[in-house]
Amino acid sequence: MRKLAPGLLAVSALVASVLASPAAQAAGPSASQLLAKLSSCSQISSGKYRSDDETAANIPVCGKNGAVWYKADMDIDCDGQPTAKCSKSTDPWFQPDTAFHDSKGKPLVADKLPYVVVPSASGTWDYRKFGIQGGGVVAVIYNNKVEYAVVGDTGPTNIIGEASYATAVNLGINPNPKNGGTDGPVHYIYFKNSKVSPIEDHGKATSTGEALAQKFLNEN
């Protein structure tokens, strides 16, 4: 290991202490702060969703000032550009496309970009009528962690609770599309009228999400 000069040791120690501080580790609101605002549901969907084909339809989409949210499970979406981790050989349900594309017009990369799958528009709920769009920012909360993702794909009209391989990895969830995911609870908060451009800029999604999450706390 390369040794630091004596004059740099104090600076190095100071930087290390700052990076280890809670403020440096958590720039946005905590999971518990956000969850405290989700203690009750004002249902905005006309009906309820299933978490899987075999489960009951008991998940409503709820409204808040500046956001919509729901509590579900997390299934793994590996769709998009094929990679070593996401392809027909790793995922029996693999599709080489996503509803929304990157700045080059290509499908998203599920094992690189944290994104969420919103149910396709239907009589149960039409996300487009509530300020939700491709590239919109979503706070995904699981096991006391918050991950900021974008709306990257659409899914079945009757099932809810799905996110990309990368979202699962960042939340400590098994990302295997065959047997991964979690029964949750996973909370998804969609911030209305938000949009990250380019959609693949995760750093921008995170910084925008942190600001929107603080605004959400202030307004609810």
Side-chain angles (χ1 to χ4, degrees), residues 192-203:
K192 293 182 179 180
N193 303 313
S194 62
K195 187 177 179 68
V196 173
S197 184
I199 192 173
E200 65 267 26
D201 189 340
H202 181 54

Side-chain angles (χ1 to χ4, degrees), residues 41-47 60-64 67-69 124-125 130 192:
C41 173
S42 176
Q43 184 171 332
I44 59 172
S45 54
S46 297
V61 178
C62 314
K64 283 286 186 180
V68 301
W69 70 277
T124 302
W125 181 56
F130 290 85
K192 293 182 179 180

Side-chain angles (χ1 to χ4, degrees), residues 7 11 26 47 56 87 113 142 145 162 179 200 204:
V11 174
S87 67
L113 180 67
Y142 172 74
K145 294 179 181 178
E162 188 176 5
N179 57 26
E200 65 267 26
K204 185 177 291 186

Side-chain angles (χ1 to χ4, degrees), residues 36-61:
K37 301 294 184 178
L38 308 180
S39 59
S40 62
C41 173
S42 176
Q43 184 171 332
I44 59 172
S45 54
S46 297
K48 296 182 179 181
Y49 289 91
R50 302 174 184 271
S51 59
D52 295 292
D53 282 328
E54 66 275 12
T55 60
N58 57 8
I59 302 172
V61 178

Side-chain angles (χ1 to χ4, degrees), residues 69-145:
W69 70 277
Y70 51 83
K71 179 175 70 173
D73 63 348
M74 182 185 288
D75 296 323
I76 306 302
D77 189 352
C78 240
D79 293 345
Q81 296 183 44
T83 66
K85 297 174 181 175
C86 289
S87 67
K88 288 183 178 180
S89 63
T90 64
D91 179 6
W93 307 278
F94 178 78
Q95 297 293 326
D97 200 4
T98 50
F100 307 106
H101 291 172
D102 66 17
S103 58
K104 296 180 180 179
K106 295 182 178 181
L108 304 179
V109 183
D111 64 2
K112 300 293 184 184
L113 180 67
Y115 70 74
V116 165
V117 181
V118 65
S120 294
S122 70
T124 302
W125 181 56
D126 186 343
Y127 67 91
R128 301 168 301 182
K129 296 180 179 179
F130 290 85
I132 310 303
Q133 59 186 321
V137 183
V138 189
V140 187
I141 307 168
Y142 172 74
N143 197 24
N144 205 35
K145 294 179 181 178

Side-chain angles (χ1 to χ4, degrees), residues 143-204:
N143 197 24
N144 205 35
K145 294 179 181 178
V146 183
E147 172 69 10
Y148 293 100
V150 291
V151 178
D153 204 359
T154 57
T157 57
N158 63 330
I159 294 176
I160 206 165
E162 188 176 5
S164 70
Y165 186 110
T167 308
V169 169
N170 290 355
L171 286 169
I173 296 169
N174 179 358
N176 189 311
K178 291 181 181 178
N179 57 26
T182 177
D183 288 337
V186 181
H187 292 76
Y188 302 79
I189 306 175
Y190 292 72
F191 299 109
K192 293 182 179 180
N193 303 313
S194 62
K195 187 177 179 68
V196 173
S197 184
I199 192 173
E200 65 267 26
D201 189 340
H202 181 54
K204 185 177 291 186

